[in-house]
């Protein structure tokens, strides 16, 4: 039996009607949520499904080279050696972050900031790759956290023996120095730590060895069901296996370098790495370079000059208020260095990555602003840009002994690339020339 509205108003107080109205809407909302839950259930992925999402298999097996000690030219070569190991083991290679001329998980930029991932994949068609960011997401999404094997490789010029030792002591360094606890891995007593001496392989930065015996030994010794292999070395200076061409650089860098090279051509490129040069001789080295350049420009008619150096081209200082160079290994910059640069700048109009504004476009990069400024303040992406400009110059000039770091892998790689171009490119006039002190 129903009451009329007028009678309800008389019988049910206002406050009670308000409560009943609230209860009605709560029940209505509850029924809607129940219906939504059954018609749109939340998808909960299993670890196998998460693995399929990130590596395309029920079980993932990644290899993560989380830190390479040396600067870009050398770390480029080292990373290739690690890719070769990943290929031997059938592991997916994590593309480690980059920044300030290093390859390291501690850096700000993704791997493709320095390198062309598409071309790298074509270079190693049998290897799968995953970015560090995606790898980290995989570790975070997993319910059962991935188990770990850690491998530290070392060598010696004198010791030819292949040896394997426990390396558990590295655990503390892994957390404190490299902050690997940022990744959601099973870093506990279950982790395996190995220190492997590979004999006297890889001690020369310019030579590699097609060592099938070493490949077999490493394949056997590094066989593991652990889902993540963390791997590094500190003291190996050259390729572990056969020496391959460097990893190709990112398109945005090669495009910027090509644009400036076309604008300057024909041009003379100079690389003066002041590090290890005798400080007292710096002004005299500069005067000698001025004389050399005047003769070269007179004989060739080429007046455009591109200048690459580890001397600081931007006014940047470290936390101790000391001027920072463009190389992390060039620590002392004194008045003699400054005098040398004044002599050179007063004699020629030098084109650099700073004066030409060739890298200004990086300010619009997704991670621009302060991080880009930090990258450009020391050794960083400008080193790659300089290398490309030096490789494609008409004439390439490097420093003599006593004036610079004479034996430089950076310089050697430029010479090597120019030698290939020299055979096929009519504009390349020399492999390398050196001015005399």
């Amino acid at each position: 039996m129903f009451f009329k509205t007028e009678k309800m108003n008389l019988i049910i107080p206002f406050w009670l009607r308000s409560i009943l109205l609230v209860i009605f809407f709560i029940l209505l909302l509850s029924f809607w949520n129940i219906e939504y839950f059954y018609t749109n259930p939340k998808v909960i992925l299993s670890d196998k499904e998460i693995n399929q999402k990130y590596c395309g298999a029920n079980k993932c097996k990644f290899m993560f080279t989380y830190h390479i000690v040396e600067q870009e030219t050398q770390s480029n070569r080292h990373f290739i050696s690690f890719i070769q190991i990943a290929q031997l083991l059938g592991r997916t290679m994590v593309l480690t972050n980059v920044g300030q001329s290093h390859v390291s998980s501690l850096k700000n930029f993704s791997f493709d900031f320095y390198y062309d991932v598409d071309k790298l994949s074509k270079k190693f068609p049998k290897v799968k790759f995953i970015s560090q960011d995606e790898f980290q997401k995989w570790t975070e999404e997993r319910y059962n956290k991935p188990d770990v094997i850690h491998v530290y490789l070392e060598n010696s010029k004198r010791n030819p023996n292949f040896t394997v030792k426990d390396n558990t002591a590295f655990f503390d360094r892994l957390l404190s120095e490299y902050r690997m606890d940022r990744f959601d891995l099973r870093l506990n007593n279950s982790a395996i730590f190995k220190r492997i001496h590979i004999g006297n392989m890889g001690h020369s930065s310019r030579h590699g060895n097609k060592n099938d015996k070493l490949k077999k030994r490493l394949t056997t010794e590094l066989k593991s069901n652990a889902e993540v292999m963390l791997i590094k070395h500190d003291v190996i200076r050259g390729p572990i296996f056969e020496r391959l061409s460097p990893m190709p650089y990112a398109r945005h860098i090669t495009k910027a370098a090509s644009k400036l090279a076309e604008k300057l051509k024909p041009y003379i490129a100079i690389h003066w790495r002041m590090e290890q040069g005798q400080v007292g001789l710096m002004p005299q080295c500069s005067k000698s370079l001025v004389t050399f350049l005047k003769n070269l420009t007179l004989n060739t008619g080429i007046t455009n000059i591109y200048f690459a150096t580890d001397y600081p081209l931007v006014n940047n200082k470290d936390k101790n208020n000391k001027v920072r160079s463009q190389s992390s290994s060039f620590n002392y910059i004194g008045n003699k260095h400054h005098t040398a640069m004044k002599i050179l700048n007063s004699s020629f109009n030098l084109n650099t990555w700073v004066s030409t504004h060739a890298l200004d476009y990086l300010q619009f990069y997704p991670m621009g602003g302060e991080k880009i400024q930090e990258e450009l303040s020391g050794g960083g992406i400008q080193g790659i840009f300089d290398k490309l400009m030096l490789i494609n110059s008409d004439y390439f000039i490097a420093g003599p002994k006593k004036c610079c770091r004479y034996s430089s892998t950076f310089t050697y790689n430029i010479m090597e690339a120019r030698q290939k171009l020299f055979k096929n490119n009519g504009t390349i006039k020399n492999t390398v020339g050196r001015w005399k002190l």
Side-chain angles (χ1 to χ4, degrees):
M1 186 174 183
F2 297 92
F3 296 97
K4 292 183 179 179
T5 306
E6 293 82 355
K7 291 184 178 181
M8 285 185 69
N9 290 338
L10 294 173
I11 296 172
I12 303 175
F14 175 79
W15 61 269
L16 184 57
R17 280 187 288 126
S18 299
I19 292 174
L20 290 173
L21 192 61
V22 170
I23 292 172
F24 171 77
F25 281 112
I26 290 173
L27 290 172
L28 184 64
L29 184 61
S30 298
F31 285 127
W32 183 86
N33 283 335
I34 291 171
E35 182 182 2
Y36 180 83
F37 177 80
Y38 283 107
T39 57
N40 300 279
K42 183 179 179 180
V43 177
I44 301 176
L45 298 179
S46 66
D47 278 346
K48 284 185 178 181
E49 290 171 314
I50 293 170
N51 289 344
Q52 284 284 350
K53 175 182 173 182
Y54 286 97
C55 71
N58 288 337
K59 181 172 183 176
C60 293
K61 299 188 83 172
F62 292 113
M63 195 174 93
F64 188 13
T65 305
Y66 56 91
H67 186 84
I68 296 178
V69 173
E70 295 184 275
Q71 296 185 73
E72 194 281 322
T73 298
Q74 282 287 67
S75 62
N76 186 317
R77 298 283 191 184
H78 293 321
F79 202 81
I80 287 177
S81 290
F82 287 118
I83 294 175
Q84 288 174 296
I85 294 175
Q87 181 171 302
L88 288 175
L89 303 176
R91 287 184 174 269
T92 298
M93 187 73 181
V94 179
L95 296 174
T96 315
N97 279 6
V98 297
Q100 297 175 308
S101 193
H102 286 83
V103 177
S104 172
S105 64
L106 300 170
K107 298 306 179 183
N108 292 322
F109 300 94
S110 60
F111 187 85
D112 59 4
F113 185 58
Y114 279 7
Y115 304 108
D116 190 322
V117 177
D118 290 336
K119 287 185 178 179
L120 187 63
S121 297
K122 291 178 181 177
K123 189 181 182 73
F124 294 96
K126 296 180 181 179
V127 181
K128 292 182 179 180
F129 296 98
I130 185 174
S131 70
Q132 179 178 312
D133 182 58
E134 287 294 293
F135 171 75
Q136 184 164 359
K137 289 177 182 177
W138 170 73
T139 68
E140 292 168 352
E141 290 183 25
R142 282 286 301 269
Y143 296 100
N144 295 303
K145 297 308 172 184
D147 51 350
V148 171
I149 178 173
H150 183 277
V151 177
Y152 180 89
L153 301 178
E154 60 182 353
N155 73 352
S156 167
K157 291 182 180 180
R158 298 178 180 177
N159 185 355
N161 299 318
F162 185 94
T163 58
V164 182
K165 297 179 181 178
D166 175 73
N167 197 35
T168 309
F170 201 88
F171 183 82
D172 292 338
R173 199 176 156 196
L174 195 62
L175 299 181
S176 61
E177 186 175 342
Y178 302 112
R179 305 203 305 272
M180 289 303 293
D181 51 349
R182 293 172 298 133
F183 301 91
D184 211 349
L185 301 168
R186 202 184 304 169
L187 282 173
N188 52 31
N189 293 334
S190 68
I192 299 170
F193 284 79
K194 284 187 176 183
R195 191 180 193 96
I196 300 178
H197 192 293
I198 63 171
N200 55 12
M201 296 296 103
H203 61 265
S204 171
S205 62
R206 299 181 184 179
H207 302 285
N209 299 276
K210 190 176 181 180
N211 194 320
D212 292 332
K213 188 176 181 180
L214 177 60
K215 287 182 178 181
K216 289 179 181 179
R217 284 181 171 180
L218 283 178
T219 302
T220 301
E221 197 57 52
L222 298 181
K223 187 177 181 180
S224 171
N225 287 322
E227 290 185 275
V228 176
M229 176 177 287
L230 303 177
I231 188 168
K232 80 178 300 292
H233 66 64
D234 289 333
V235 295
I236 297 176
R237 291 291 175 257
I240 296 175
F241 310 115
E242 60 269 27
R243 188 171 183 269
L244 303 178
S245 59
M247 293 190 293
Y249 293 117
R251 293 174 186 174
H252 69 96
I253 313 174
T254 57
K255 182 179 178 181
S258 295
K259 184 178 179 181
L260 181 59
E262 287 303 315
K263 182 179 179 181
L264 294 180
K265 275 203 171 282
Y267 69 98
I268 298 166
I270 303 161
H271 180 226
W272 190 358
R273 189 168 182 178
M274 292 183 172
E275 179 190 353
Q276 295 185 3
Q278 293 185 22
V279 176
L281 292 177
M282 288 297 106
Q284 183 57 45
C285 290
S286 188
K287 291 176 183 178
S288 299
L289 175 56
V290 168
T291 301
F292 179 90
L293 282 176
K294 284 182 178 178
N295 289 331
L296 184 59
T297 55
L298 184 64
N299 292 333
T300 63
I302 299 174
T303 57
N304 284 338
I305 298 172
Y306 185 83
F307 184 64
T309 180
D310 54 358
Y311 180 89
L313 297 178
V314 292
N315 186 20
N316 183 64
K317 297 182 179 181
D318 61 19
K319 59 183 179 181
N320 297 317
N321 204 35
K322 291 183 179 180
V323 177
R324 288 178 61 183
S325 75
Q326 289 198 207
S327 171
S328 60
S329 56
F330 183 24
N331 298 316
Y332 173 75
I333 301 169
N335 290 330
K336 297 288 186 180
H337 296 104
H338 299 319
T339 300
M341 284 304 301
K342 287 178 182 177
I343 293 170
L344 192 56
N345 275 316
S346 63
S347 303
F348 293 97
N349 178 28
L350 301 176
N351 293 286
T352 68
W353 66 268
V354 178
S355 68
T356 59
H357 302 280
L359 296 178
D360 285 1
Y361 75 93
L362 291 175
Q363 300 301 332
F364 301 99
Y365 194 76
M367 290 183 67
E370 291 184 6
K371 290 182 178 179
I372 289 292
Q373 288 304 117
E374 182 182 358
E375 173 75 5
L376 295 175
S377 65
I381 197 170
Q382 66 271 35
I384 296 174
F385 182 84
D386 278 345
K387 188 186 298 182
L388 295 170
M389 291 299 298
L390 297 172
I391 287 172
N392 290 291
S393 63
D394 295 76
Y395 287 91
F396 170 51
I397 310 301
K401 291 180 179 179
K402 298 184 179 181
C403 289
C404 66
R405 183 171 179 173
Y406 188 82
S407 181
S408 164
T409 305
F410 183 92
T411 306
Y412 183 81
N413 283 359
I414 293 167
M415 292 165 53
E416 195 174 42
R418 287 180 63 80
Q419 185 61 46
K420 293 178 182 178
L421 290 175
F422 187 79
K423 297 176 181 178
N424 306 310
N425 188 330
T427 65
I428 303 296
K429 302 297 191 299
N430 73 340
T431 301
V432 61
R434 293 187 184 270
W435 77 88
K436 295 181 180 180
L437 179 59

